[in-house]
Amino acid sequence: MTSCAKCSFENSGDANFCSRCGSRLVIADLAETTVTYAPLDGDEAGAGPDVSGGVSRYPVLLIRAGGGSEGEQIPLDSDLLTIGRNPESHLFLDDVTVSRHHARVVRDATGYAVEDLNSLNGTYVNRGRVERQHLADGDELQIGKFKLAFLEPID
């Protein structure tokens, strides 16, 4: 059993996230992360994507459950990320429980916030329905049947 540092809930020993609050239980050992980068033809040495130790410098949304996309990471590398069943959404969630224009994640002066766009089934953060909510590391978003974790990079 693993106790959650945020809410003290007892989770199974193999859980990576808390079943009650969605917080990350296991901190990844960055020493075990391996990243390689081979420049493409015409690239200068050292040019290319930021791979700083294999960890994104941007926060990400991690799909934890729903739709067969578990484990997919969506980097929040712009000021706006649209979420919905519309194929033109930045994060396309293909299920009838998701509205065509369901929610969006916006970056403001204090960080990232999720905003519900008057969706039929609502947007939830840590199991509470929200219209707009600032996000903190480990927060769980639920959009339709999809569960996502908001994860900030480790400094």
Side-chain angles (χ1 to χ4, degrees):
M1 298 294 274
T2 303
S3 180
C4 176
K6 189 171 185 180
C7 72
S8 301
F9 184 77
E10 290 294 322
N11 295 276
S12 65
D14 60 347
N16 291 323
F17 295 91
C18 178
S19 295
R20 178 183 290 162
C21 72
S23 293
R24 188 181 343 204
L25 296 174
V26 179
I27 304 299
D29 183 4
L30 298 179
E32 294 182 11
T33 305
T34 303
V35 174
T36 60
Y37 171 69
L40 299 172
D41 291 339
D43 277 356
E44 295 178 22
D50 175 18
V51 294
S52 51
V55 177
S56 174
R57 62 183 178 148
Y58 300 107
V60 297
L61 288 178
L62 171 68
I63 299 178
R64 293 183 47 216
S69 301
E70 290 84 359
E72 183 179 340
Q73 293 185 22
I74 299 86
L76 298 174
D77 55 1
S78 65
D79 291 336
L80 175 68
L81 176 87
T82 57
I83 304 170
R85 198 168 28 91
N86 181 343
E88 294 179 10
S89 296
H90 296 117
L91 176 52
F92 172 59
L93 300 177
D94 190 17
D95 188 75
V96 295
T97 61
V98 178
S99 297
R100 290 184 61 73
H101 303 282
H102 196 104
R104 63 185 176 191
V105 176
V106 295
R107 179 171 41 197
D108 62 20
T110 60
Y112 290 85
V114 63
E115 297 176 344
D116 185 75
L117 300 176
N118 298 315
S119 64
L120 181 63
N121 292 317
T123 300
Y124 294 80
V125 175
N126 300 327
R127 299 189 179 159
R129 191 169 183 159
V130 299
E131 295 299 317
R132 185 174 201 278
Q133 174 76 40
H134 272 92
L135 299 171
D137 185 45
D139 279 350
E140 179 184 73
L141 283 74
Q142 184 164 352
I143 296 174
K145 71 176 186 178
F146 292 85
K147 291 186 180 183
L148 305 102
F150 175 75
L151 305 174
E152 293 186 294
I154 300 169
D155 290 334

